[in-house]
Amino acid sequence: MSDSILIIGGGIAGINAALNAADYGCQVYLLDDTASIGGMMARLDKTFPTNDCSICIESPLMYRVDNHPNIEILTNCEVRRVNRNNGNFEIRLVKKARFVDADKCTGCGTCVEACPVSVPDELDGKIGGMRKLISIPFPQAVPNASIIDPRCRYGKMREQGACIGGCVVDCSQCRECPIALCVKACKDEGKDAVLLWQADKPMDIEVKSIIVCSGIKSYEPSTGTYGYNVYENVITNLQFERLMNAGGPTGGEIVRPSDKAHPKKIAWIQCVGRGDKELPYCSKVCCMITAKQVIITKEHDPSVETLVFYNDLKAYGKGFYDFHRKAVEGGTRYIKGKPFDIFEHPETKNLTIRFEDLDKGELMEEEVELLVLATGLIPSDRNKRLARVLGIELNEYGFFKEKEPLNAPLETNVDGVYLCGGATGPIDISESVVQASAASMKAVIARR
Amino acid sequence: MNNDIRVGVFVCDCGTNIARTVNVPQVVEYAKGLKNVIFAEEGKWSCSVDYLAKLQEAIKEHNLNRVVIASCTPRTHEPLFKKTVKEAGLNPYLLEFVSIREQASWVHMDDPVRATEKAKDLVKMGVAKAILLELGEDFRLPVKQDCLIIGGGMAGMTAALNIAAQGFKAIIVEKQPQLGGLLNKLDRIAPEEVSADAMVKAKAELIAQNENIKVYTNTEIEDIQGYIGNYKVRVKTNGKSEEFDASTIIAATGMKEIEPVGQYGYGDDSRVITQLQLEGLLKSNGLEAKRDVVIINCVNSKNEERGCCNIGCLASVKNAMALKTINKGTRVHILYRDLSIVKDELSYLKDARNMGIKFIRYTEERQPEVSREDSHLMVRVYDLLLGRELKIPADLIVLTTAFEGDSTVDQLKGQLKVSTNPDGFFQEAHVKLGPSDFPSDGLYLCGCARSPKNLKDTCEESMAAAMRASIPMKVGYLEAEGIVADIDLDACNDCGICVKNCPYGAIQLVDDRPNVLKALCKGCGLCAADCTKDAITIVHYSDEQILAQVEAALEEKAQEKIIAFCCHWCALGAVDMAGVSRLQYPPNVRIIRVMCSARVATKFVLRAFELGAAGVLVAGCEFPTCHYIVGNYKAEKRMERVTKKRLAQKGYDPSKLWTAWLSATDGPKFAATMRAMTKQLNLE
Ligand SMILES: Cc1cc2nc3c(=O)[nH]c(=O)nc-3n(C[C@H](O)[C@H](O)[C@H](O)COP(=O)(O)OP(=O)(O)OC[C@H]3O[C@@H](n4cnc5c(N)ncnc54)[C@H](O)[C@@H]3O)c2cc1C
Ligand SMILES: Cc1cc2nc3c(=O)[nH]c(=O)nc-3n(C[C@H](O)[C@H](O)[C@H](O)COP(=O)(O)OP(=O)(O)OC[C@H]3O[C@@H](n4cnc5c(N)ncnc54)[C@H](O)[C@@H]3O)c2cc1C
């Protein structure tokens, strides 16, 4: 339909933009290139500054999107080409093969149980999270359907026992597969939803405006930064977030990678990566992420000792400073200063941190059992391609550029293409939601 | 017994997900024997397109007027089945959903006998409720296309332009003689360095040209009555009152500086001024060349009382640079706690440092001090890096102060029936997911009225508030699901508790009697549970219906059973999570769904114990989350302070009433609670 709106990115920004526009009466396509909508919020434990449980507040919105008559969800889907025609955008999408018929799949999980091969999860692999080659992204996923790791389908996992046949061709060559365990399990259930020969499918749509909500990624420090990837018990704040999460790989147990023991002393280092070529900016939310994580750590076990190395404290939003105070009052030590050296104790795998306490002007050291690197937020790795396809500009950091931030916030250099959420830069949830409503306002006005 | 009631029960195998553990044919047979059940059937995949068509045929063929689906979880699948029965001509409120996968087959895998028994109970409870279900309808309140905007600063102006761009009417009420708010007092806007006046002028011109926008200046709000779609507003302009209607309202009342009287010599010495006063001097070119300027940040901010003022760092650096631009020779020191500019911070601070502006950090414990030496002002500050006190002379001291809401906010919050924080900033519906909304539909907020912020954020919030207000104006009505409160005025004694407690302002007095504005009601049931006269019914979750479930559950072997009242959102989310994760727990529990834990009245709990239940669990969302703002808090309070006492009075052991506050990922916690309860109650 020509007066519809395409929303690219199904995180909390995209979900809100979609619901606003759809409630207003527009036809909306909500597109994400991963297997489920939800974005970063679906992976978080609690959320600052109130410590609301993240998925608890996000999943009702996800179900609303799913059941909204005006919204079509397109997951595992990419934007390939955009043409301007009579003020409309003609868009070529590609629905990537899921190898599962999402309409037939009920998310019952029988295929997942049947699959014998586990691989490290993209997100949780470093802290022991595994997933099957056929999997459901997370329990509240929308759509609630499995997806097959393409590596499996090409027969590459046969040696690991993914299926029992000794086929000489890859799965895409057969219309019917009697031997793949997931296919069989699904058939036994009376469904026939696993389709190993599914191929990518093009899809054309025409829309009046586009909202880009491609979000953020957590920065992955380079190997060696404060011992990251070298010492086992050095993890990022996103990995720590997953450890805290009852829906995460440890069922909410905060355990350290080396021995799965509950660490009794944990340190956080702020601004990791900042100043590097990659992060020449402040990500602004990391101070609050750490405040949240120390508060929740103490809620799990008040006897755990927590310390934070910080630079300038960013507590800019409503209720943020109170939240920080809560962290301090809970007994967390905040130390102004940047550590300059970390080394690991070979037997205990504990870490000694050397640092200068800038408030005291002293060189000091602390030994901790787990070290969390509070890294910043970086743009989605797909932004460059998306910018090219849409003809919009990126700023020097790789976020999308606003044409005139003050006079025309959230507008791009292409009329009819708007931004919100992490697509514009580091941001928290509340601001993402505000921008999502604002961008949907722009989009519906542009439709007129 | 009502013979017109014809119930159909549809029990799903979910492939083998249910059928592997629960003996579905047995459950179907059992269902057929229940009263009013005309038809019962097993389905392999109830949610498949083919089966849904079959279900619709069955409804027509057997003339069913109640449907019970026993399958997965209502949290994901209820909308689908509602739609299906509706298409078959049945009122969707006559559907009851029973979860035998998440609540039975997945969590009692190694005890098929008891899992089947539980499934039968759940179906029986579902049928018992279904028999009592009544026709429901969605409620609509008409909403016209006119929006009142209180405050004509940048927030109010931006909101008005966006409302008007859709052809809707925007009415700005501004108490000052002109539009623009704070910007009228500012010089330039950082970091873009545009003139504040130019920004106001550009917007004010657009507003003047727009025939959809009506502006009242020099005008105050005298009175606001009504609700979404039907606000009656009375304003007073230069002593003259006027009335008009509005359908929606946006609060854009901005903020003001908290005057730091008595601090750092402010008020005693004219050389000590605030950041806003400095802006005024810069704007009017009224500033003589200064030799030494000291800017002190975080005055009254970042302490026990309040947080970061959000724009002070930006304003102080901006104005320091302006001072340097006027006179390169001026020495400018900024005394700060943490530098928090965020956007373009690095380049901005670099520019400032390159201009020669000096930054000195101080801590909350060691604040700077100002004294007068001869005719000079002297600032003492402990330099943490040098480890000693510095003495900085000053001929101008600028205090970057904290902010508070407008002085009219106290009055306004009464008129709008909304709340504020201690600093007079309005409280939004939800800090993260409802930042532009007030809890009551029809009321929205934006800009510095919500909290201090820079101009870009202010403008974004204004567009957001405009969008939120536009949705009902565009649709033409506000619609609510039929799960709403209904007051029987004959039974009501006008005590007013429900009016006071409704978090959504959905119960208002009409001719001194409570009246539910159904479209505003979210159906949480708080009012019904606390009504001392039992005068309030929640459609679809009535006392009768819930008690029928309790009674059905406890008909047999009551002493072995735990009744759990679970809220639809997080508690049931946790139950479902336990299911998806196949966490195994004892099958003694029978779950009764309510929309919010606040719906659980003392009498429900009492009834369960009267019928011999081993224990009762009330489970709601984990604090501070509640999908009805305060429901879980109210429920906890009621259980602890009222229900337990009542139980003791009646001779029941109050320790058998448990509460659990769960997040939707708390599957393990729910399973653990069930294990602990079973153990404690000696049910093993
Ligand atoms: C460890 C951590 C903890 C945090 N804790 C908090 C907290 O407690 N409170 C808080 O307020 N904020 C927190 N945040 C920040 C919060 O996650 C973000 O503000 C929020 O997720 C931004 O939402 P978004 O929708 O803009 O982006 P995202 O959540 O990143 O979603 C973007 C979506 O777009 C999709 N996408 C990306 N590129 C493309 C493309 N080219 N085509 C199609 N789809 C695409 C992605 O798959 C994703 O689903 C935290 C962040 C991290 C990393
Ligand atoms: C010293 C200082 C420097 C700043 N510098 C910058 C900067 O460099 N860059 C930047 O981006 N931002 C800056 N800001 C922030 C910027 O000024 C605000 O974001 C913006 O002005 C807020 O607009 P507003 O409409 O929300 O509030 P306001 O501008 O306060 O407007 C509110 C309006 O509502 C009216 N009003 C209030 N109550 C009522 C009532 N009951 N009835 C009728 N009318 C009412 C008021 O009279 C006022 O006109 C600065 C702020 C200050 C104080």
Side-chain angles (χ1 to χ4, degrees):
Chain A
M1 225 180 293
S2 65
D3 66 346
S4 19
I5 297 176
L6 170 65
I7 294 176
I8 304 172
I12 193 62
I15 287 172
N16 269 284
L19 284 173
N20 274 312
D23 285 347
Y24 190 87
C26 305
Q27 291 299 317
V28 176
Y29 298 98
L30 177 59
L31 174 144
D32 202 294
D33 57 4
T34 65
S36 170
I37 59 170
M40 182 61 80
M41 241 190 112
R43 305 310 176 95
L44 301 180
D45 180 34
K46 303 284 153 53
T47 52
F48 67 76
T50 49
N51 276 351
D52 279 297
C53 149
S54 193
I55 197 70
C56 303
I57 56 178
E58 191 185 36
S59 64
L61 298 181
M62 290 163 60
Y63 297 143
R64 250 198 89 204
V65 167
D66 202 15
N67 289 300
H68 205 297
N70 293 350
I71 302 177
E72 182 172 344
I73 300 178
L74 302 163
T75 49
N76 208 28
C77 188
E78 285 176 4
V79 182
R80 285 289 162 84
R81 207 174 51 234
V82 175
N83 282 330
R84 209 67 210 255
N85 184 13
N86 269 336
N88 283 352
F89 297 95
E90 293 171 346
I91 302 175
R92 162 62 58 94
L93 308 174
V94 168
K95 292 174 100 168
K96 291 182 288 178
R98 193 179 186 107
F99 309 115
V100 170
D101 181 340
D103 290 334
K104 277 194 191 161
C105 176
T106 56
C108 74
T110 308
C111 56
V112 182
E113 271 177 72
C115 177
V117 185
S118 292
V119 293
D121 184 83
E122 283 70 20
L123 187 66
D124 299 332
K126 281 235 169 62
I127 47 172
M130 303 291 279
R131 65 159 172 79
K132 296 289 186 64
L133 287 174
I134 186 164
S135 61
I136 298 173
F138 50 93
Q140 301 81 1
V142 170
N144 191 230
S146 345
I147 181 165
I148 292 185
D149 186 333
R151 282 182 296 176
C152 174
R153 187 179 142 264
Y154 290 105
K156 293 212 184 92
M157 291 293 172
R158 235 168 250 151
E159 296 94 82
Q160 277 94 318
C163 47
I164 36 188
C167 316
V168 281
V169 292
D170 78 49
C171 308
S172 58
Q173 304 300 309
C174 304
R175 296 298 288 177
E176 196 101 16
C177 177
I179 51 173
L181 296 171
C182 52
V183 176
K184 188 168 173 306
C186 190
K187 279 200 174 138
D188 289 350
E189 284 293 302
K191 305 234 108 181
D192 197 1
V194 182
L195 306 172
L196 291 175
W197 57 89
Q198 216 181 35
D200 291 359
K201 252 202 230 118
M203 175 179 171
D204 292 318
I205 60 171
E206 197 174 327
V207 301
K208 196 89 190 177
S209 41
I210 298 176
I211 307 179
V212 179
C213 326
S214 58
I216 40 99
K217 269 186 53 169
S218 173
Y219 174 69
E220 173 100 17
S222 52
T223 294
T225 309
Y226 295 117
Y228 188 70
N229 277 345
V230 180
Y231 304 144
E232 273 178 87
N233 292 326
V234 180
I235 61 174
T236 66
N237 55 353
L238 179 56
Q239 289 157 358
F240 191 82
E241 188 85 21
R242 298 293 297 157
L243 284 180
M244 299 193 305
N245 192 331
T250 58
E253 295 292 326
I254 301 177
V255 292
R256 60 180 202 161
S258 70
D259 53 9
K260 305 282 174 274
H262 292 264
K264 286 297 190 186
K265 185 167 176 183
I266 310 175
W268 277 257
I269 301 179
Q270 298 304 116
C271 302
V272 172
R274 190 173 163 186
D276 284 358
K277 250 191 266 134
E278 210 142 349
L279 287 176
Y281 54 85
C282 168
S283 298
K284 88 180 187 177
V285 291
C286 332
C287 287
M288 287 300 109
I289 295 174
T290 294
K292 164 180 77 176
Q293 296 186 343
V294 301
I295 290 170
I296 292 169
T297 301
K298 292 270 189 190
E299 276 171 10
H300 280 232
D301 178 358
S303 72
V304 174
E305 207 183 318
T306 48
L307 42 145
V308 177
F309 298 96
Y310 77 108
N311 297 301
D312 276 302
L313 179 81
K314 302 291 158 68
Y316 59 94
K318 195 174 186 179
F320 285 15
Y321 192 73
D322 274 352
F323 192 67
H324 164 74
R325 284 187 76 86
K326 198 174 156 198
V328 175
E329 281 159 12
T332 296
R333 261 164 65 210
Y334 273 77
I335 300 166
K336 179 107 178 170
K338 227 179 174 168
F340 50 83
D341 199 12
I342 310 284
F343 61 85
E344 184 189 57
H345 297 257
E347 316 86 66
T348 60
K349 304 278 178 194
N350 287 353
L351 302 147
T352 290
I353 305 168
R354 295 222 175 104
F355 61 94
E356 182 181 1
D357 184 328
L358 292 179
D359 282 348
K360 297 190 179 130
E362 286 170 29
L363 293 182
M364 298 166 78
E365 59 175 51
E366 288 280 351
E367 185 181 328
V368 299
E369 296 176 16
L370 178 67
L371 176 59
V372 183
L373 306 182
T375 67
L377 304 183
I378 56 170
S380 158
D381 47 0
R382 288 90 84 196
N383 276 7
K384 270 204 191 103
R385 219 171 98 198
L386 191 56
R388 202 160 357 105
V389 173
L390 295 175
I392 58 179
E393 290 173 27
L394 295 172
N395 68 17
E396 70 245 66
Y397 310 136
F399 294 104
F400 291 100
K401 192 167 173 177
E402 290 173 82
K403 189 169 69 175
E404 278 185 76
L406 201 52
N407 284 315
L410 311 178
E411 293 182 17
T412 66
N413 54 306
V414 175
D415 280 351
V417 180
Y418 308 101
L419 307 172
C420 66
T424 64
I427 196 162
D428 65 46
I429 295 164
S430 168
E431 291 175 310
S432 299
V433 172
V434 165
Q435 287 193 345
S437 302
S440 55
M441 181 85 271
K442 296 251 179 203
V444 303
I445 291 176
R447 252 169 94 249
R448 285 172 60 87
Chain B
M1 185 167 135
N2 189 338
N3 290 318
D4 298 340
I5 304 250
R6 302 173 63 84
V7 184
V9 180
F10 299 84
V11 188
C12 183
D13 293 339
C14 193
T16 62
N17 278 283
I18 292 171
R20 196 184 321 170
T21 309
V22 168
N23 188 329
V24 175
Q26 261 188 34
V27 176
V28 172
E29 276 318 300
Y30 178 80
K32 283 183 180 159
L34 293 168
K35 77 176 176 187
N36 291 83
V37 174
I38 303 297
F39 178 81
E41 189 183 67
E42 174 174 1
K44 191 153 182 59
W45 289 103
S46 304
C47 59
S48 64
V49 181
D50 324 344
Y51 194 80
L52 293 174
K54 254 182 97 182
L55 196 154
Q56 289 176 328
E57 273 165 37
I59 292 177
K60 288 179 193 148
E61 191 188 324
H62 301 280
N63 226 341
L64 302 177
N65 55 19
R66 298 290 186 283
V67 169
V68 174
I69 305 285
S71 61
C72 46
T73 166
R75 289 174 70 253
T76 55
H77 276 72
E78 196 172 43
L80 175 70
F81 286 104
K82 272 192 165 175
K83 197 172 133 229
T84 306
V85 301
K86 195 172 168 191
E87 282 166 10
L90 192 66
N91 184 299
Y93 292 90
L94 299 177
L95 170 89
E96 179 61 15
F97 200 106
V98 172
S99 171
I100 58 168
R101 189 178 73 176
E102 278 77 353
Q103 292 179 28
S105 70
W106 273 352
V107 288
H108 312 309
M109 288 171 129
D110 35 14
D111 196 346
V113 174
R114 289 173 78 199
T116 303
E117 234 172 67
K118 185 175 181 181
K120 286 180 188 169
D121 264 7
L122 292 170
V123 168
K124 174 161 63 164
M125 292 156 66
V127 171
K129 177 168 178 182
I131 290 172
L132 298 170
L133 287 176
E134 285 174 42
L135 289 180
E137 55 179 329
D138 295 345
F139 292 95
R140 287 183 179 185
L141 264 184
V143 178
K144 291 191 291 291
Q145 302 184 328
D146 41 8
C147 176
L148 163 67
I149 296 165
I150 309 174
M154 283 303 274
M157 291 197 287
T158 307
L161 285 167
N162 279 281
I163 300 270
Q166 303 162 76
F168 306 161
K169 193 170 153 201
I171 308 145
I172 300 179
V173 172
E174 167 58 57
K175 61 178 183 172
Q176 297 290 332
Q178 76 279 7
L179 298 175
L182 276 173
L183 251 56
N184 289 325
K185 302 181 190 166
L186 300 188
D187 183 27
R188 307 185 77 73
I189 302 296
E192 285 82 1
E193 286 302 317
V194 296
S195 140
D197 279 346
M199 288 216 67
V200 173
K201 197 163 158 245
K203 280 239 151 113
E205 264 167 22
L206 287 176
I207 286 176
Q209 289 157 12
N210 196 316
E211 53 190 22
N212 293 331
I213 305 179
K214 170 143 181 64
V215 179
Y216 290 87
T217 48
N218 280 319
T219 302
E220 274 166 33
I221 304 279
E222 276 199 317
D223 190 38
I224 298 176
Q225 295 289 337
Y227 43 85
I228 181 170
N230 187 17
Y231 290 107
K232 304 264 176 247
V233 183
R234 192 169 75 237
V235 296
K236 193 175 190 176
T237 313
N238 299 323
K240 228 182 87 224
S241 288
E242 187 180 330
E243 273 188 28
F244 55 82
D245 292 346
S247 286
T248 55
I249 301 180
I250 297 177
T253 50
M255 63 175 185
K256 63 186 187 32
E257 279 185 335
I258 298 176
E259 277 208 88
V261 178
Q263 292 171 276
Y264 304 107
Y266 181 87
D268 306 332
D269 195 311
S270 61
R271 290 168 297 179
V272 184
I273 62 174
T274 67
Q275 205 64 251
L276 201 53
Q277 289 163 344
L278 175 61
E279 294 266 1
L281 292 172
L282 290 169
K283 189 174 185 130
S284 62
N285 298 319
L287 197 70
E288 302 148 30
K290 298 286 173 199
R291 229 183 26 234
D292 289 294
V293 181
V294 177
I295 300 177
I296 304 178
N297 282 359
C298 297
V299 175
N300 295 325
S301 297
K302 284 202 174 180
N303 55 21
E304 256 170 59
E305 263 161 69
R306 70 179 64 76
C308 168
C309 82
N310 203 351
I311 54 171
C313 289
L314 177 71
S316 63
V317 176
K318 168 186 74 172
N319 288 339
M321 292 184 1
L323 289 164
K324 278 285 195 188
T325 311
I326 294 174
N327 179 5
K328 253 172 93 175
T330 307
R331 281 185 293 252
V332 186
H333 284 87
I334 298 182
L335 315 188
Y336 71 99
R337 293 261 306 274
D338 294 282
L339 280 171
S340 178
I341 292 174
V342 180
K343 197 124 199 180
D344 300 323
E345 175 170 281
L346 261 56
S347 55
Y348 204 58
L349 290 178
K350 206 161 123 203
D351 291 350
R353 289 199 170 98
N354 285 342
M355 289 175 94
I357 295 161
K358 296 272 184 295
F359 291 88
I360 300 173
R361 193 170 77 87
Y362 71 92
T363 62
E364 190 181 1
E365 295 73 39
R366 264 189 161 149
Q367 307 261 346
E369 280 167 33
V370 173
S371 58
R372 225 174 305 186
E373 294 184 5
D374 307 327
S375 63
H376 276 71
L377 287 172
M378 190 64 78
V379 181
R380 277 169 228 274
V381 59
Y382 183 82
D383 187 313
L384 292 149
L385 283 180
L386 298 176
R388 63 180 167 81
E389 190 175 80
L390 298 181
K391 274 169 69 173
I392 313 167
D395 48 7
L396 182 69
I397 294 179
V398 184
L399 306 180
T400 311
T401 67
F403 301 96
E404 60 188 358
D406 190 85
S407 50
T408 59
V409 157
D410 261 347
Q411 188 196 334
L412 257 184
K413 77 177 182 191
Q415 289 166 337
L416 297 174
K417 301 184 189 72
V418 298
S419 52
T420 62
N421 70 11
D423 278 336
F425 292 109
F426 286 115
Q427 201 63 57
E428 57 282 66
H430 190 278
V431 184
K432 285 175 287 282
L433 298 187
S436 310
D437 306 348
F438 281 114
S440 301
D441 290 302
L443 302 176
Y444 313 89
L445 73 166
C446 59
C448 293
R450 181 175 159 238
S451 62
K453 52 183 56 75
N454 66 30
L455 190 55
K456 180 177 192 303
D457 290 352
T458 292
C459 293
E460 286 171 5
E461 284 195 3
S462 321
M463 293 190 287
M467 181 65 189
R468 301 293 303 155
S470 297
I471 291 170
M473 294 199 287
K474 169 74 181 180
V475 175
Y477 54 84
L478 177 77
E479 190 171 53
E481 246 196 298
I483 302 174
V484 293
D486 193 24
I487 303 182
D488 174 5
L489 285 179
D490 292 338
C492 168
N493 67 346
D494 299 329
C495 71
I497 293 179
C498 56
V499 179
K500 202 176 105 232
N501 282 352
C502 176
Y504 300 100
I507 311 183
Q508 303 197 353
L509 291 176
V510 175
D511 300 330
D512 292 329
R513 307 227 60 192
N515 176 45
V516 181
L517 295 159
K518 300 232 156 88
L520 261 63
C521 175
K522 311 276 184 223
C524 66
L526 170 63
C527 54
D530 280 338
C531 178
T532 52
K533 291 285 163 195
D534 288 340
I536 307 180
T537 300
I538 304 296
V539 178
H540 215 67
Y541 289 90
S542 71
D543 289 0
E544 253 191 311
Q545 291 161 2
I546 294 174
L547 289 171
Q549 284 175 288
V550 173
E551 283 156 16
L554 296 173
E555 213 166 71
E556 288 160 64
K557 298 191 196 165
Q559 69 290 347
E560 286 175 18
K561 288 178 190 165
I562 297 169
I563 298 291
F565 297 98
C566 290
C567 85
H568 170 80
W569 304 98
C570 296
L572 209 59
V575 171
D576 290 351
M577 184 76 175
V580 174
S581 319
R582 317 291 201 266
L583 302 177
Q584 304 299 301
Y585 56 82
N588 306 63
V589 63
R590 301 291 179 268
I591 292 174
I592 296 175
R593 173 167 66 134
V594 286
M595 288 315 283
C596 177
S597 52
R599 174 69 190 95
V600 183
T602 296
K603 68 175 164 199
F604 301 163
V605 178
L606 213 55
R607 185 77 186 128
F609 284 112
E610 278 165 13
L611 294 173
V616 173
L617 173 74
V618 175
C621 295
E622 180 187 50
F623 304 112
T625 311
C626 173
H627 294 261
Y628 303 97
I629 305 178
V630 291
N632 50 358
Y633 289 94
K634 300 272 186 188
E636 186 191 35
K637 216 163 123 185
R638 184 188 306 135
M639 290 304 131
E640 295 303 324
R641 299 204 190 151
V642 181
T643 312
K644 284 194 174 164
K645 264 188 211 142
R646 282 288 298 286
L647 288 179
Q649 279 165 7
K650 297 257 172 183
Y652 302 108
D653 179 357
S655 72
K656 292 184 176 173
L657 166 60
W658 289 41
T659 55
W661 311 105
L662 306 166
S663 82
T665 52
D666 271 338
K669 191 168 160 191
F670 178 77
T673 306
M674 285 340 298
R675 280 192 293 269
M677 247 184 123
T678 326
K679 192 158 173 219
Q680 189 87 24
L681 298 168
N682 293 319
L683 298 176
E684 282 173 327

